[in-house]
Each structure stands twice: as structure tokens, then as C-alpha cells.
Amino acid sequence: MDLDAFTAVHRAQWDRLNELGRRRRLTGEQADELLRLYQSTSTHLSMIRSVAPESALSASLSTRLARARTRFTGARSNFAEDLARFFVLALPAAFYRVRWLTLGVGAVFVAIAVLYGIWAAGNPQVLSALGNDARLRQLVDHGFVDYYSENPGASFAGQVWTNNAWIAAQAVALGITGVYVPFLLHQNAMGVGLTGGVMFGYGRGDVFFSYILPHSLMELTAVFVACAAGLQIFWSWISPGPRPRLVALAQEGRSLITVAIGLLIVLFVSGLVEAFVTPSQLPVWAKISLGALVLAGYWAYVLILGGRAVLTGELGDLDGTDAGDSLATA
């Protein structure tokens, strides 16, 4: 095959494909034309590759085809618009949909932690099982407080964020099992409760709350949200309602993975509070107030923007094009 002659014959078609592929919007007629040109150019590329697979012409046509293909696979060119939609509609709606389950998970967590705390603080045998007197006094007098300041703030913030983000991701991703979330919730509540019980048992309950409340108001709420998202995915599998089971699971999974992504940001903020506010020299009331302000900001975001988004029909899922329900032609 004479490539020069072949190029001369079809150059106009390839240029037209390139022109349509670069346009932001297409009419219905132009979309049909783009599809026809895409199909014919794909055939041309196969023919060219059979004789010159590594040629510049082959690479050029591949690029033009890739650009045209994005018009039929839902890819968007307006990144700012996608970002705005995510933060104004999808994310708050996804958080809003699990708000009641979040509160329920939080109530269970607090109940378990309080029971473990009371059990440990009021039972010397439990305290002795947790460690000898010297070890517990070291925790109460130094270990608990020093934990928040023994590393540089930026390093500690990164460490906290990574750990909590991993916990949140596990809760969402493994929630479908139905057993991992209760296990995770119990283990964390037990840890917090027993630590608090030791602190109260040695008369340092005020220190416990002054160091754990500033960051944990938001940090633990983020964990509750992740657990709620995981349980929601599990329930969509158990009780899909009128939707086919796989469709329900896919829809809930996509929307609640949105939650996991959003929690990365929430946990980053709580990590900054834990690294720079909790160990600071600010008065206790000021530190707790800052933590409460962060939590209030989260709930305002969820209830105001999320409530409005849900009323418009937003579920936090991908739109039909991105989810693969249809092809984008305009």
C-alpha cells in the first residue's frame, strides 16, 4: 500500500475527525458524523498498522481517535465544573443520605466506650489486668499527653491522617461483609473507653477530655460516617428494594465511595487540629471550642448543602454518562 497516496485520499476525513473531536459541543448531526468518521478512521488505522505499525502517521491517527473517543465515553473537559459539582452536590448529598445512620453509629460507639470506661475506672482488677501500677502511672502522667507532642506537628498530622484515612477506607470498602464495621466500631470504642477508664481511675479524667475532645469531635464523626457508609452498602445488598440487587449495590457503592473520598479531606482537617491545636498551650475551653467549630462546619455543610442537593434528586452517585448508562454526544 502506498502510504502517501492513501494519506492524500483520506486526509480531509482525518482533519474533519480532528476538528469535531476538539469541539466542546456537537449538534446531533455533527455527533453522527463524528461517529462515522471514527469508525472509518479506525479501519484506516488498522490498514496502516499492517504495513507501518510504528509510523508517525499511525501515532497521529491514534491520537485523533483517542480524542474523538472521549466524546462517546463521557469524558468532560471542564474540570472546574466537575469539581464544583462534586463539592456542592455529590459529596454533601452522599454525606446527607447517611446522616441518621451516622448518628446511630455514634450513639452505639459512645455507649460502648462509656461502659468500658466505667468498668475499667471502677474495677481495680480490670486496671491491674491492663498493666502494673508503674506502667499505668507512666501512661497517666506522661504517655497520654506526650503522644500528641513527641513528633513535629507536620509529621504527626501526616501520620494521623494516613492512619485514620486507612480506617475509613476499610470501613467503607469492607462494609459489604456486614461484620467488619461492627468489629471495627467495637475495637475502637473499647480502646477509647479503656484509656478513659485508666485516666479516670487515676484521677486524671479532666486531662483525658481536654486532650481527646478538640480533635476527636470531628475525627470520630468521620469514622462514624465511614462506618455508616459501609453499613449502607451492606444493606443495599441485603434489601435492594425495587432495584435489581446488582444495580442497587453498584449505585450505593459508587455514591458511598464518594463518601470515602470526601472523608480524606475531613480527616485531613481533623489531623491538623490533632497535631497543632490539641497539644497547644491554648486554654482548654479554646481548644475544645475550635474542635466544636470544625464539627459544626461539617454538619452545616451536610445539612444545608446536602439537604438542598437531595431535594433536587442528587444521590452522590455518578451521573448517567459517567456511570456508563449512556453515551455522551453533546
Side-chain angles (χ1 to χ4, degrees):
M1 182 174 67
D2 187 334
L3 286 182
D4 291 336
F6 190 80
T7 300
V9 170
H10 298 290
R11 170 70 68 183
Q13 290 178 273
W14 301 340
D15 289 343
R16 179 60 174 168
L17 173 71
N18 190 49
E19 177 190 349
L20 292 176
R22 289 180 178 276
R23 290 191 179 184
R24 290 174 60 91
R25 294 186 179 279
L26 299 173
T27 65
E29 183 180 348
Q30 289 171 337
D32 291 340
E33 181 185 5
L34 177 64
L35 182 58
R36 289 194 301 270
L37 289 171
Y38 176 85
Q39 293 171 334
S40 61
T41 304
S42 295
T43 301
H44 298 161
L45 178 60
S46 297
M47 296 170 64
I48 292 170
R49 281 178 171 171
S50 67
V51 296
E54 302 299 329
S55 66
L57 179 59
S58 175
S60 175
L61 289 184
S62 295
T63 301
R64 297 183 185 203
L65 285 170
R67 183 181 297 114
R69 187 163 54 246
T70 62
R71 306 310 306 272
F72 298 98
T73 57
R76 299 177 181 174
S77 59
N78 194 333
F79 174 75
E81 180 182 330
D82 290 342
L83 197 64
R85 180 188 178 279
F86 178 80
F87 284 107
V88 176
L89 294 174
L91 182 59
F95 281 153
Y96 185 85
R97 291 181 60 224
V98 295
R99 67 195 186 284
W100 292 117
L101 193 52
T102 297
L103 294 175
V105 167
V108 171
F109 180 95
V110 171
I112 294 173
V114 168
L115 289 175
Y116 269 109
I118 293 173
W119 179 53
N123 192 331
Q125 291 181 334
V126 175
L127 292 177
S128 64
L130 295 174
N132 57 45
D133 183 68
R135 179 181 176 184
L136 294 182
R137 284 195 176 279
Q138 195 281 331
L139 169 67
V140 170
D141 295 336
H142 303 287
F144 182 78
V145 173
D146 291 347
Y147 167 76
Y148 297 99
S149 57
E150 60 186 0
N151 292 311
S155 174
F156 183 56
Q159 175 187 339
V160 168
W161 177 75
T162 302
N163 179 66
N164 290 331
W166 175 238
I167 292 175
Q170 286 180 302
V172 176
L174 299 179
I176 192 173
T177 64
V179 296
Y180 184 78
V181 167
F183 169 77
L184 177 69
L185 196 65
H186 175 267
Q187 290 298 106
N188 281 272
M190 180 177 65
V192 171
L194 290 178
T195 301
V198 171
M199 297 294 289
F200 271 89
Y202 281 81
R204 301 298 300 276
D206 58 332
V207 175
F208 173 75
F209 281 123
S210 68
Y211 273 82
I212 202 170
L213 283 180
H215 63 274
S216 289
L217 290 173
M218 189 67 259
E219 181 180 274
L220 288 178
T221 298
V223 173
F224 302 157
V225 172
C227 290
L231 291 175
Q232 185 87 345
I233 295 175
F234 169 71
W235 190 247
S236 71
W237 175 52
I238 297 298
S239 180
R243 300 171 294 179
R245 196 177 304 277
L246 290 180
V247 171
L249 188 59
Q251 290 176 341
E252 295 297 335
R254 288 193 302 264
S255 63
L256 295 175
I257 289 301
T258 299
V259 169
I261 296 172
L263 288 179
L264 293 177
I265 302 170
V266 174
L267 288 169
F268 177 74
V269 174
S270 69
L272 292 178
V273 174
E274 185 169 358
F276 296 102
V277 176
T278 297
S280 72
Q281 299 302 312
L282 289 172
V284 173
W285 66 265
K287 292 193 289 186
I288 295 177
S289 295
L290 286 172
L293 186 62
V294 171
L295 180 64
Y298 167 81
W299 280 111
Y301 174 74
V302 171
L303 297 178
I304 296 174
L305 289 184
R308 291 174 181 173
V310 169
L311 286 176
T312 66
E314 178 66 49
L315 298 176
D317 191 6
L318 300 175
D319 63 23
T321 297
D322 290 338
D325 295 341
S326 61
L327 295 177
T329 59

